Amino acid sequence: MKTPEGQILRRYERMDTRLFDDPGAACKEVADAIEQLILERAAEGRSAVLGLATGSTPVRLYKELIRRHKEEGLSFQNVVSFNLDEYYGLSGEHPESYRCFMEDQLFTHVDIPRENTYVPDGMVDRDAVLASCKAYEQAIVDAGGIDIQLLGIGRTGHIGFNEPGSGPGSRTRLVTLDSLTRSDAARDFLGEENVPRHAITMGVGTILEAKKICLLAWGDSKAAVIAASVEGEPTEAVPASFLQSHEECIFCVDTAAGSHLTRQRYPWLVGPIEWTPEVARKAVVWLSQKLGKPLLKLVDEDYSENGMADLLTEKGSAYKLNIKQFNIAQHTITGWPGGKPEADDSNRPERAIPSVKRSLILSPEPKDDVCSLGGTMHRLANQGHDVTVAYLTSGNLAVPDTDARRAIELIMELAREREDAGEISFAQKVEQQLDEKGAFGEDSSEIRHLKGLIRRGEARSSARLLELEPSQLRFLDLPFYEKGRYRRFQSAQADVDLMVQLLEETQPHQIFAMGLGHDPLSVPAICFQILSTALTALKDDSWMKDCRVWLYRGPGREWDVHEIDMAVPLSPDEFEFKIRGIYQHQSQRSQTPSPGAKNMRNSWTEVSELNRATAAFYDSLGLAEYEAIEGFKRWSPGLGS
Ligand code: F6R
């Protein structure tokens, strides 16, 4: 931070923030610090006191610690741990309790003495909560205070479960969870209605007493809140921003989670930069938005007064810059996502030949496809391309029991009419399993299978509306999902093998995929990783030389306009088709289909807002005005042209 760039950076960033290309590298660094602490303390015959977090974020770090224990003999005998929080009303046996999470993800794999592991008691009586919280704080003090506190961050800006409104002096207490936090947890609990409303959490003040603090964040869904915490004024609206007052607090984030920091988003404001074509495009689009002027109306002063004088000097004039960026944006727009046959394709995102393309659409869960690229799928089908939609996971974990019950009642009724004893006993068995497991229980393999079939049916009727035949759909049911639970998935070679087989069979000219930049433990990110491993394995296949990969961002998200390489405009009618396609996913009406959307109605609104917002953005740059636009970014590591 002593360099001139460091000083400029310091003007924006109010705390020590480290960006990593990959969460693995960040976890290694944090694991080093933890190991060093444990070893130093062991040499002194003292305990190392760790403050631990749950959720997806620290899982990789815990894996690294377990590895060091198993392979390198790192002992946790002298470790005392305090977890940040626990859902109120859940016992330690509940699979979603934080006690259970810690046992699964760390404690049972290392030699930490169980009596040294503290997690707030979620089952304490209401009138004993206060005393229990005080005792928790006292136990921290008695242990000598927390040496290293690990934190994740919620999209509300919460640390622990200190939701917006929590002050810097707050202590361990019972809190009410924010509705966004509950909707983020909906999938873990198989429905938002099952998510506890309250939790016990260490306070912001308790956290700030730790000697060192390390906050971790991965994936672009955290980008906005990371920027607000690091660059904004400390405020109760973003509790993580209070960490700015701590002398020894670092944020370790991957580039996706750090993508809204000024140094990443508007690097020309932070210091001298290399004006690559990508940065120039981003900067000019930003300038046009900032000043509310179409691209072709920007003048020299606009550039020089907004930190872009060097770009202006390099390129000669605003006029030249404007035209260039206008053309780039213009050339992203195409109504022919599979390429326009017999047309000059030198300025089109897709090539004209072959005129009939094999298009492979990869949808991590049923509905990701229609929500994100329903209009494009419709166009591809209509324009005669050979489209295959592959649903990578069954999505069965997101089906509420009420839908499974309705389906099983239907099966039972039919079976009785047909006097089919086998079917009747199957239906009775599943009904009984549903009764016995209760809202929080794990689904049996029969229930999961039934729920998967419900989603298949919805995917088929949605695709039919987009003019795709059921024979064009493939259901991969990747094993990592079938065996796992949200946040605890782990892919294996069997998943890659299925993807390789799909690619070899379809030999696509274009692949539409999502998951880049998502939280690494999320279903889309795992699917993307599987795809990229499979593509690497197949890199020498001849069809790969003629294959393009188009990334869509996923439900409830869209690329920024400067990132879009192909913009597919939708007419009002096409847009209507898409919305009707989304509505076929009936079992998802009360699920959380995308960040921020709490039900089907919101999902509908969100999709329409996003696609319309992209169209409005293009319009504001001075390009044509459309009803809606779906955006794609080209991804080509080591692939052909
Ligand atoms: C967990 C905790 C929470 C999480 C946060 C992020 O103990 O206190 O603050 O760190 O909700 O969750 P993930 O990591 O699942 O995105």
Side-chain angles (χ1 to χ4, degrees):
M1 286 289 173
K2 292 275 157 55
T3 59
E5 291 84 44
Q7 278 160 14
I8 300 173
L9 194 58
R10 201 67 186 153
R11 277 218 306 268
Y12 294 98
E13 295 181 12
R14 296 153 177 251
M15 61 184 132
D16 189 355
T17 310
R18 305 195 187 160
L19 284 184
F20 293 84
D21 288 338
D22 160 43
C27 289
K28 198 177 159 307
E29 215 170 288
V30 180
D32 284 348
I34 292 175
E35 175 168 353
Q36 195 188 346
L37 172 80
I38 294 175
L39 295 179
E40 272 172 22
R41 288 297 160 84
E44 296 160 10
R46 293 168 58 203
S47 304
V49 186
L50 301 179
L52 301 178
T54 58
S56 312
T57 310
V59 168
R60 196 145 173 186
L61 170 63
Y62 295 153
K63 282 199 167 55
E64 173 62 14
L65 292 175
I66 293 167
R67 191 196 63 75
R68 289 180 191 209
H69 169 70
K70 296 210 161 127
E71 292 173 17
E72 295 166 11
L74 176 65
S75 170
F76 289 73
Q77 280 287 339
N78 68 324
V79 172
V80 179
S81 71
F82 288 90
N83 263 84
L84 280 165
D85 40 18
E86 178 60 283
Y87 287 113
Y88 188 63
L90 297 198
S91 81
E93 275 75 54
H94 188 290
E96 287 307 326
S97 72
Y98 284 170
R99 159 61 74 181
C100 184
F101 179 96
M102 289 310 302
E103 294 291 337
D104 260 20
Q105 300 295 324
L106 183 65
F107 298 158
T108 49
H109 308 285
V110 294
D111 60 346
I112 188 167
R114 207 52 102 258
E115 64 277 14
N116 286 3
T117 64
Y118 294 82
V119 180
D121 180 1
M123 294 302 281
V124 68
D125 283 346
R126 275 280 172 149
D127 42 9
V129 166
L130 200 63
S132 163
C133 292
K134 277 198 168 154
Y136 201 72
E137 296 237 341
Q138 191 56 48
I140 298 176
V141 174
D142 293 346
I146 290 173
D147 293 308
I148 298 182
Q149 175 68 58
L150 298 175
L151 297 174
I153 184 169
R155 289 191 303 129
T156 57
H158 74 214
I159 44 175
F161 273 137
N162 293 284
E163 299 288 14
S166 304
S170 52
R171 312 298 311 180
T172 303
R173 67 203 185 288
L174 182 68
V175 292
T176 301
L177 299 181
D178 188 278
S179 59
L180 181 57
T181 299
R182 292 188 65 239
S183 82
D184 278 352
R187 295 205 138 190
D188 307 335
F189 284 88
L190 310 172
E192 196 173 321
E193 61 282 9
N194 299 329
V195 182
R197 293 185 178 275
H198 303 282
I200 293 183
T201 180
M202 282 186 198
V204 178
T206 325
I207 292 169
L208 286 171
E209 279 165 13
K211 289 162 204 146
K212 286 192 177 151
I213 300 178
C214 180
L215 184 143
L216 309 173
W218 328 126
D220 54 15
S221 66
K222 301 283 173 73
V225 80
I226 287 293
S229 309
V230 172
E231 299 190 354
E233 289 285 332
T235 163
E236 290 184 357
V238 185
S241 62
F242 291 125
L243 297 171
Q244 290 173 16
S245 67
H246 196 286
E247 291 286 313
E248 297 260 356
C249 174
I250 55 169
F251 275 34
C252 294
V253 306
D254 67 357
T255 40
S259 61
H260 283 202
L261 293 170
T262 305
R263 69 165 125 159
Q264 293 238 95
R265 205 165 203 200
Y266 316 117
W268 51 91
L269 297 178
V270 175
I273 54 159
E274 190 196 339
W275 286 103
T276 61
E278 292 75 30
V279 180
R281 184 176 173 201
K282 186 177 187 178
V284 180
V285 168
W286 166 80
L287 188 63
S288 156
Q289 278 300 291
K290 181 173 183 230
L291 303 179
K293 283 185 174 183
L295 290 170
L296 295 177
K297 287 192 178 174
L298 294 169
V299 294
D300 286 4
E301 291 72 40
D302 294 331
Y303 285 91
S304 44
E305 287 166 12
N306 285 283
M308 293 160 70
D310 49 344
L311 177 65
L312 192 63
T313 317
E314 206 175 301
K315 303 291 172 197
S317 70
Y319 179 76
K320 281 191 189 156
L321 271 164
N322 297 348
I323 293 272
K324 173 150 192 170
Q325 293 306 327
F326 181 88
N327 285 335
I328 290 176
Q330 178 68 42
H331 294 152
T332 62
I333 303 172
T334 181
W336 298 83
K340 188 169 186 183
E342 290 168 43
D344 172 9
D345 59 7
S346 45
N347 282 319
R348 291 178 174 275
E350 254 303 355
R351 59 232 189 268
I353 295 172
S355 55
V356 175
K357 293 201 173 55
R358 291 185 295 273
S359 307
L360 176 63
I361 291 155
L362 301 179
S363 184
E365 286 190 36
K367 189 157 138 1
D368 290 337
D369 56 339
V370 62
C371 275
S372 313
L373 69 159
T376 303
M377 287 162 68
H378 190 224
R379 282 202 175 220
L380 287 169
N382 249 310
Q383 291 167 357
H385 297 288
D386 179 3
V387 180
T388 302
V389 186
Y391 298 97
L392 303 180
T393 70
S394 69
N396 57 20
L397 287 170
V399 177
D401 286 351
T402 43
D403 291 64
R405 208 174 272 284
R406 188 178 330 131
I408 207 70
E409 279 165 7
L410 187 75
I411 295 171
M412 175 81 89
E413 204 161 330
L414 256 178
R416 285 204 173 115
E417 272 176 25
R418 299 162 68 93
E419 295 175 8
D420 183 334
E423 277 303 286
I424 292 174
S425 95
F426 169 75
Q428 280 169 339
K429 179 174 170 195
V430 176
E431 255 186 348
Q432 192 181 346
Q433 287 172 349
L434 281 166
D435 291 341
E436 281 168 5
K437 88 181 183 77
F440 290 137
E442 293 222 21
D443 288 349
S444 64
S445 56
E446 285 91 352
I447 299 178
R448 281 191 77 163
H449 182 58
L450 179 72
K451 288 182 169 180
L453 293 182
I454 292 172
R455 295 209 71 182
R456 282 191 186 194
E458 292 167 349
R460 277 189 211 103
S461 58
S462 172
R464 220 174 266 125
L465 274 176
L466 303 175
E467 297 183 36
L468 290 158
E469 294 300 321
S471 59
Q472 293 175 270
L473 312 185
R474 300 276 296 266
F475 297 94
L476 259 58
D477 291 350
L478 288 178
F480 85 85
Y481 184 94
E482 293 311 303
K483 286 195 234 127
R485 272 182 94 86
Y486 284 107
R487 297 176 205 249
R488 304 186 199 177
F489 296 123
Q490 235 181 333
S491 64
Q493 188 57 38
D495 300 295
V496 177
D497 291 346
L498 282 168
M499 182 69 84
V500 165
Q501 196 184 333
L502 172 75
L503 293 168
E504 280 177 332
E505 275 169 32
T506 48
Q507 306 203 347
H509 295 107
Q510 45 172 209
I511 300 173
F512 291 86
M514 69 174 271
L516 185 69
H518 285 238
D519 171 348
L521 284 188
S522 65
V523 173
I526 295 172
C527 288
F528 189 74
Q529 189 52 48
I530 293 168
L531 170 67
S532 101
T533 312
L535 288 174
T536 308
L538 296 172
K539 67 179 186 325
D540 296 328
D541 281 21
S542 57
W543 62 269
M544 286 271 291
K545 313 247 165 341
D546 194 25
C547 176
R548 288 190 185 178
V549 181
W550 294 101
L551 300 182
Y552 60 98
R553 193 105 193 247
R557 301 162 177 235
E558 187 50 283
W559 300 112
D560 286 341
V561 165
H562 69 264
E563 297 172 298
I564 293 178
D565 296 317
M566 174 157 71
V568 180
L570 310 184
S571 69
D573 283 348
E574 279 167 327
F575 195 53
E576 192 52 40
F577 263 113
K578 169 173 177 162
I579 299 299
R580 281 169 54 198
I582 294 172
Y583 267 122
Q584 302 310 306
H585 292 270
Q586 280 296 309
S587 71
Q588 301 305 291
R589 65 199 174 281
S590 64
Q591 295 294 303
T592 311
S594 58
K598 283 180 221 129
N599 51 44
M600 200 65 180
R601 171 97 211 125
N602 284 3
S603 155
W604 186 91
T605 322
E606 203 171 89
V607 165
S608 46
E609 272 166 13
L610 276 175
N611 293 152
R612 287 203 173 105
T614 308
F617 202 127
Y618 267 78
D619 180 26
S620 73
L621 294 176
L623 295 144
E625 185 179 352
Y626 295 101
E627 172 72 10
I629 285 181
E630 292 173 344
F632 302 91
K633 183 178 159 99
R634 182 135 174 232
W635 184 72
S636 47
L639 294 180
S641 61

